[in-house]
Amino acid sequence: MNYELIINSTPGESVIALLNEKRLIELHKERNNIRFAVGDIYLGKVKKVMSGLNAAFVDVGYEKDAFLHYLDLGPQAASMIKFTTLTQSGKQNVSNLMYFKNEPDIPKDGKIGSVVQSGQHILVQVAKEPISSKGPRITTEISIAGRYLVLIPFSDKISVSQKIRNSEEKSRLKELMQSIKPKNFGVIVRTVADGKTVADIENDLNDLIKKWDQCYKALKEAQPPMRVLGEMDRTNAILRDLLNENFNSIHVNDTAVFDEVKTYLKNIAPNKVDIVKQYTGKANIFDHFGIDRQIKGLFGKTVNMKSGAYLIVEHTEALHVFDVNSGNRAKSDSSQETNALEVNLEAATEVARQLRLRDMGGIIVIDFIDLHNQENRKLLYDRLKEEMKSDRAKHNILPPSKFGLVQITRQRVRPEMNVDVLEVCPSCGGSGKVQPSVLFVEQIENTLRYIIKEQNQKSVTVHVHPYIEAFITKGFLWKSLLSKWRKAYGGKIKVKSISSYGFMEYKFFNDLEDEIVV
């Protein structure tokens, strides 16, 4: 596998595209002023305790109070609350928990009112970003993620990722953590720690302890609602979670982000620093790498597949439906069952890609083409499970029903990625009516005359549809419209064809590539 990361950074947001073998598999948008991201740690204030829901609403600074259910408190909730109270009162003088006395774990079937009270200051972490009309979902079970480890304060438990199969390696990692982790800190050893040196893992642990120390220092002076420790941005989080030997290039169009990514890679994978490249081309970075074209084809209601089959995608608040259609895929020399199986297998691959790409959560129902052979149903089920293995979100897949329906539940921690692929017609502006075509080129000429004569622009490039470009520049040099314009108005006039433009769309640019607004 060959992974690439393309980062399109603008003043308002950064859009991050993850490619596998040049195919878009993940798309993330991060507003530069984003708050309440998964992993952010806040000092909140309990506003209401709802006994009927066995939950509390906590003010963390969002327009709607965050939701804290009893089951999201975590066993060490009492210890976390005690630490917060002592720190804010000045009685807890260090972030180190060596001499901190943990409180007993809270019961699994307890009541929220026995743990938190209205008006209480409480340290919480965002578990699910605000979605639709709901506020963030939070937890008091704080965890700080690193490259190889996840640090859990007020716990002594050591867990090793189940994806590490080698029992000797699991034992090595567990023994290592027992020897180096500080008291009252639990640790989860991540899959990427497999085979890593003691120095690598110890450095990661030290970085996580430093982050906990930052959280402690901010907590001492904090007043709710306030963020005391922010999760790293999406770009670095993706690199932290996915970076491996298959990652061979990262392209960035912004100097600041380029430097930031290089600095982060120097810390976690110095041998990978050279894969970061700054894009300096004139075309949009997503256009250059063919990502915009893929986005337009992948985020619509209809998603076409190479074979001619296609998916219809429908959405509700908590349910997403994929309908698999063979289209013109059917082969006359194959049986109906064989055709159905081939279409379904291709659709399983595309559905798994769509779930990651759009970050769909909740209940997903896939209406595959009916298969009568039990072995073929199992083959389809196995293919879908295999394709979903690379999905980092927690999910569960049920076998196909007798009606050909497959149900998937997938964790949702942030709003679904939605890209509107339908465009307002640039010619009519959505009105359904356009100006007379005989006046179109005349309008371009009048605007060009105004720009050169009235605005004193000596160098103008007109961007138009390729057909219009051919019409303006066709003929010999002394007979084309372009040559007549140059002779009449002077200056340096160019005409450039843009294939993405509507037929009657045009724009003017100066020699610095800045658009001239008239």
Side-chain angles (χ1 to χ4, degrees), residues 26 39 48 70 78 107 145 159 173 228 249 283 289 341 346 365 374 385 410 447 453 516:
E26 286 189 25
K48 295 179 192 172
Y70 182 85
S159 303
L173 291 169
V228 294
S249 63
F289 287 98
L341 177 61
E346 184 184 17
V365 177
Q374 186 61 37
K385 287 198 298 183
R410 186 175 184 273
T447 308
K453 297 295 186 182
I516 302 170

Side-chain angles (χ1 to χ4, degrees), residues 337-389:
E337 181 80 3
T338 302
N339 275 328
L341 177 61
E342 290 178 359
V343 170
N344 283 342
L345 291 177
E346 184 184 17
T349 301
E350 186 57 42
V351 166
R353 178 191 185 190
Q354 287 286 325
L355 294 180
R356 286 182 69 183
L357 192 58
R358 303 190 191 208
D359 204 5
M360 293 180 180
I363 301 170
I364 297 104
V365 177
I366 311 164
D367 183 9
F368 286 106
I369 300 172
D370 289 350
L371 293 171
H372 303 290
N373 189 310
Q374 186 61 37
E375 290 184 3
N376 289 341
R377 288 186 187 178
K378 185 178 185 307
L379 198 62
L380 171 61
Y381 181 54
D382 290 343
R383 169 66 67 86
L384 188 57
K385 287 198 298 183
E386 182 64 29
E387 294 292 340
M388 291 288 289
K389 274 185 180 179

Side-chain angles (χ1 to χ4, degrees), residues 426-490:
S427 302
C428 70
S431 68
K433 296 181 179 181
V434 298
Q435 61 181 310
S437 55
V438 294
L439 302 179
F440 177 62
V441 174
E442 183 179 325
Q443 181 178 343
I444 295 177
E445 182 178 356
N446 289 339
T447 308
L448 186 64
R449 181 195 305 118
Y450 175 79
I451 290 172
I452 294 174
K453 297 295 186 182
E454 302 296 330
Q455 295 189 351
N456 296 317
Q457 290 282 353
K458 301 303 180 186
S459 178
V460 182
T461 302
V462 190
H463 289 194
V464 292
H465 186 276
Y467 286 173
I468 304 300
E469 186 266 346
F471 179 77
I472 293 173
T473 60
K474 71 176 183 178
F476 296 105
L477 289 176
W478 58 88
K479 288 186 177 179
S480 69
L481 273 174
L482 179 58
S483 63
K484 292 178 181 178
W485 290 350
R486 286 172 174 167
K487 185 176 180 181
Y489 311 122

